[in-house]
Amino acid sequence: MDTHDQHTSFIKTPQQLIVVVLLSFIIPVIAIILLVQLVLSRPGADPGAMTPEAVAARIQPVGRVEFGAPGAAVGARTGEQIVKTVCATCHQAGVAGAPKIGDKAAWGPRIKEGFDSLVKDAIKGVRGMPPRGGDSSLSDAEVARAVAFMANQAGAKFKEPAVKEPAGKPAPAQTAAAAPSDGKAAAPSDGKAVYDKVCMACHAAGVAGAPKLGDKAAWGPRVSTGSDALLQSVIKGKGAMPPRAGSQLSDAELRAGVEFMVSQAK
């Protein structure tokens, strides 16, 4: 009885036998079809992939350098250019009470003083602002353009003096402390020029806690961190000081300015 049970087939009915026979034929056929499709379905080349346009798109560089038009010459800069490169250092954030750009409430009383009065204050310096906003390379006309541009952002209707092509030799105020603007590395001797152009606006009077030039007590802890750390603080901005001190100077120029100020505190 036990021997008979061990050899008993799982096929009990004719229908089961038919199913088994059919499957024995169908499964190998399906397997062969799938194998053939796999062999024949190799990826083919895109007919449009070899066109000149497609090839150029694939081999184009990851990045590219574009050269724009050179900046305006000293004496011929617009009010907007001067505000972005000089005035924004304090007026963007309202450092030391400087009226923020576009703040109508802060600019209102000043606008009432009149355009000429505002320009004279900007040229001579007023309260925490040094003469010419700390940039001695600015001509009187450029200062006037910057004043007009900022005041007009707050509702004034001052006429910005027209930009004239510089003729002949530039005025002394235009060349006295002009910092390099061609993007080349500033030599160590240019550090004072960088300070006069950008840093003096806050560091001459200690605006918003900026350590004054030559103040050994204030500079001591900063000098101990090293020139690299000081440079990174200038590049990234710290406290009330905006990134790059609100300028468009290169890293090398900023380093020259930092090293000059550090040298005055030793």
Side-chain angles (χ1 to χ4, degrees), residues 33-100:
I33 292 173
L34 292 176
L35 182 60
V36 171
Q37 288 181 341
L38 179 63
V39 173
L40 297 179
S41 63
R42 293 178 181 175
D46 182 358
M50 298 307 294
T51 62
E53 294 80 5
V55 173
R58 289 198 299 275
I59 66 174
Q60 68 178 346
V62 174
R64 54 185 161 188
V65 177
E66 296 182 0
F67 296 92
V74 173
R77 291 166 287 188
T78 67
E80 183 177 7
Q81 288 174 323
I82 296 164
V83 169
K84 287 182 177 179
T85 57
V86 180
C87 313
T89 301
C90 294
H91 286 278
Q92 190 67 48
V95 174
K100 292 184 180 180

Side-chain angles (χ1 to χ4, degrees), residues 11-211:
I11 300 174
K12 304 294 185 181
T13 64
Q15 290 82 357
Q16 292 177 341
L17 177 61
I18 294 172
V19 171
V20 171
V21 171
L22 290 175
L23 290 176
S24 66
F25 283 99
I26 293 174
I27 292 176
V29 170
I30 293 175
I32 293 171
I33 292 173
L34 292 176
L35 182 60
V36 171
Q37 288 181 341
L38 179 63
V39 173
L40 297 179
S41 63
R42 293 178 181 175
D46 182 358
M50 298 307 294
T51 62
E53 294 80 5
V55 173
R58 289 198 299 275
I59 66 174
Q60 68 178 346
V62 174
R64 54 185 161 188
V65 177
E66 296 182 0
F67 296 92
V74 173
R77 291 166 287 188
T78 67
E80 183 177 7
Q81 288 174 323
I82 296 164
V83 169
K84 287 182 177 179
T85 57
V86 180
C87 313
T89 301
C90 294
H91 286 278
Q92 190 67 48
V95 174
K100 292 184 180 180
I101 299 172
D103 187 339
K104 294 183 179 181
W107 276 96
R110 294 170 169 85
I111 292 173
K112 289 180 180 178
E113 294 176 12
F115 181 57
D116 292 340
S117 177
L118 288 174
V119 172
K120 287 180 182 178
D121 285 343
I123 291 174
K124 296 179 180 179
V126 61
R127 291 179 286 278
M129 182 180 71
R132 300 179 189 276
D135 186 349
S136 59
S137 73
L138 295 178
S139 67
D140 289 357
E142 287 178 317
V143 173
R145 292 181 202 127
V147 169
F149 179 82
M150 280 197 295
N152 290 347
Q153 303 305 302
K157 298 186 182 298
F158 298 145
K159 183 178 180 180
E160 186 173 322
V163 176
K164 297 179 180 179
E165 291 295 330
K169 215 171 184 181
Q174 295 174 306
T175 59
S181 59
D182 56 4
K184 295 180 181 179
S189 59
D190 293 330
K192 186 177 185 306
V194 173
Y195 168 80
D196 290 341
K197 182 178 178 64
V198 178
C199 316
M200 186 175 71
C202 293
H203 288 278
V207 174

